[in-house]
Amino acid sequence: MTRTISILGATGSIGRQSLEVIAACGIRTAALTTNRNVKLLEEQCRCFLPELAVAFDPQAAAELKIRLADTPVRVAQGMDGLLEAAALPQADTVLTAVVGMVGLRPTLAAIAQGKRIALANKETLVCAGELVMEEATRCGAQIVPVDSEHSALFQCLQGNRDRGEVKRLILTCSGGPFFGKSAEELQGITRADALQHPNWSMGAKITVDSATLMNKGLEFIEAMRLYQMPPEKILIAIHRESIIHSLVEYCDNAILAQLGTPDMRLPIQYALTWPERCPGPAKELDLFSCPPLTFARPDLETFRCLKLALKAAERGGLACAVLNGANEAAVGLFLQEKIGFCEIADRVAQALSRVPQGDHRDLDAILAADQLARKIALQ
Ligand code: NDP
Ligand code: MG
């Protein structure tokens, strides 16, 4: 059970919800970080009184220092600030809720200190999953997932001692806002269309990933790394209702599922309290008012990003780092309205045609592959 936590990305969707959980569960904070949202970070610091507040952006950090001058909270900036927040001795847990590959080095820094990692930042596991999992084993750091599907799998795997007994992991997928649309219909999708998600309210990048279904591809790779499963043992099932958050099928054909309202505060809380449970702010599920539960296969021809991610997962090596880097860059361009919705997949495909050789367990090789993929995607 977590007693003191550092939250990387406290001002984001996951970060804000985790502070609600922390307040309800009586957990203390050691460090809170943001990129630029100093107004909200100031409010959070006044409320939770961490030792350290970090703004990644240097200008924002200068402003934060002035805003917090009358408090005991120390202010730091940039990657050094994030690394310090990740390694602060008084925190037993670090919640990684920054968006994107920028979370990789801080995650490794927290692992090196043997802390529990409550992991929301899936990009880190996609681009450097083998390295991160090996480091965690070496340093005795637990990695507990925050992503709702992986939390569901984690909950369904409690008590499982022999991975050989697991027949397959079944990842559920809402299908996103464009479920059922044809490839032609996807052509005219705008930024505003893509930022509407039917069941979850999240940050902009993951909302776009959920619309292209790249999010499910990233989650497929995340599940491979977290649970050491080969791709053929992971199945994706479209489940529009987002009530079953994922399932584990065992060798005797028993299937265990975790159900709940679509409320991230539950998986966040479980990552902090595991192996214990306690009452918390997540909404109760009323079984008698649930819609019928439906399942369908994903349409890989229309949602090309998912197909590309499954191919990268199969291919291994540095392909997943390239997939992730190119996707981050392409989604950035789409959010700036510089490219169309379907061009995200085009650009990721271009980058995947040029995966460099190199050791996918070596941090420098991963960072180089990420940079190359971004360059190709931005051209
Ligand atoms: P948001 O965009 O809402 O928040 C991201 C946070 O990271 C903010 O605090 C932001 O600061 C900070 N940040 C952004 N860029 C940088 C940077 N370059 N350096 C340092 N800090 C930065 O994202 P979400 O909360 O939605 O997602 C966070 C992570 O959790 C992602 O990896 C996502 O895939 C994962 N996740 C999210 C879910 C959700 O429901 N939202 C569900 C499952 C996983 P600022 O406020 O200044 O922008
Ligand atoms: Mg998810």
Side-chain angles (χ1 to χ4, degrees):
M1 168 96 189
T2 301
R3 295 189 198 294
T4 306
I5 192 170
S6 290
I7 303 176
L8 311 182
T11 52
S13 161
I14 292 288
R16 282 179 270 125
Q17 295 179 82
S18 66
L19 286 169
E20 289 178 42
V21 170
I22 284 161
C25 298
I27 295 168
R28 287 187 299 270
T29 59
L32 299 176
T33 84
T34 184
N35 183 19
R36 291 205 184 93
N37 191 346
V38 289
K39 185 167 179 286
L40 180 57
L41 194 69
E42 179 195 351
E43 282 170 28
Q44 293 177 340
C45 286
R46 290 190 184 277
C47 183
F48 290 92
L49 285 179
E51 179 193 316
L52 180 69
V54 179
F56 187 78
D57 179 82
Q59 250 178 324
E63 187 187 335
L64 186 64
K65 210 165 185 170
I66 297 167
R67 284 175 175 264
L68 290 174
D70 63 319
T71 72
V73 181
R74 195 156 56 78
V75 174
Q77 68 178 51
M79 183 51 77
D80 287 347
L82 285 187
L83 293 173
E84 190 187 350
L88 270 192
Q90 53 275 56
D92 45 66
T93 298
V94 174
L95 173 69
T96 62
V98 294
V99 56
M101 166 82 179
V102 69
L104 175 57
R105 287 180 56 207
T107 304
L108 290 170
I111 288 173
Q113 300 299 317
K115 297 187 189 298
R116 174 181 299 190
I117 311 296
L119 188 133
N121 178 225
K122 64 187 85 182
E123 293 88 353
T124 283
L125 273 194
V126 172
C127 63
E130 282 131 322
L131 170 68
V132 167
M133 295 308 289
E134 277 173 17
E135 281 299 291
T137 307
R138 192 176 67 79
C139 302
Q142 297 157 339
I143 300 203
V144 190
V146 165
D147 211 345
S148 58
E149 295 79 0
H150 305 78
S151 174
L153 296 172
F154 186 66
Q155 294 179 58
C156 296
L157 286 166
Q158 294 301 305
N160 167 244
R161 283 156 195 262
D162 175 3
R163 263 312 120 79
E165 291 176 354
V166 175
K167 189 157 127 194
R168 53 188 175 174
L169 306 177
I170 305 170
L171 272 181
T172 55
C173 172
S174 74
F178 310 131
F179 174 75
K181 284 205 190 300
S182 66
E184 293 72 53
E185 286 171 316
L186 290 185
Q187 293 289 344
I189 295 297
T190 65
R191 177 184 192 273
D193 299 329
L195 288 180
Q196 304 280 342
H197 192 278
N199 302 341
W200 300 93
S201 154
M202 309 175 287
K205 192 257 176 185
I206 184 175
T207 304
V208 174
D209 286 345
S210 301
T212 60
L213 297 200
M214 178 60 93
N215 184 51
K216 209 48 57 179
L218 300 178
E219 290 184 350
F220 186 96
I221 299 164
E222 188 184 4
M224 283 172 64
R225 303 296 178 244
L226 279 171
Y227 304 116
Q228 267 95 50
M229 280 285 165
E232 62 277 11
K233 287 193 164 188
I234 307 177
L235 181 75
I236 295 173
I238 302 287
H239 169 56
R240 295 291 287 155
E241 300 78 26
S242 294
I243 287 173
I244 295 184
H245 299 305
S246 280
L247 316 89
V248 176
E249 184 172 2
Y250 285 92
C251 55
D252 57 0
N253 291 336
I255 298 183
L256 303 194
Q258 188 254 325
L259 287 73
T261 49
D263 186 333
M264 282 309 295
R265 291 171 302 182
L266 177 59
I268 291 169
Q269 178 172 318
Y270 192 63
L272 305 186
T273 65
W274 172 82
E276 291 155 41
R277 289 185 187 265
C278 66
K283 283 196 234 49
E284 195 176 86
L285 174 67
D286 175 8
L287 283 178
F288 299 109
S289 59
C290 270
L293 303 182
T294 62
F295 303 94
R297 289 181 200 283
D299 173 357
L300 297 181
E301 299 314 317
T302 305
F303 293 93
R304 286 182 297 141
C305 281
L306 177 54
K307 191 171 181 177
L308 289 167
L310 299 182
K311 273 202 179 148
E314 194 81 51
R315 188 163 158 190
L318 290 166
C320 294
V322 167
L323 173 91
N324 181 68
N327 183 59
E328 281 189 33
V331 171
L333 290 177
F334 174 72
L335 285 171
Q336 295 164 41
E337 301 186 298
K338 289 187 177 155
I339 63 170
F341 186 72
C342 294
E343 273 177 88
I344 298 174
D346 295 341
R347 295 195 179 220
V348 173
Q350 270 158 21
L352 279 173
S353 69
R354 287 175 54 192
V355 176
Q357 295 291 325
D359 178 3
H360 61 281
R361 288 180 169 82
D362 176 55
L363 183 59
D364 290 335
I366 294 166
L367 295 173
D370 172 74
Q371 284 306 314
L372 174 68
R374 282 170 202 265
K375 213 170 110 192
I376 297 171
L378 291 174
Q379 263 161 20

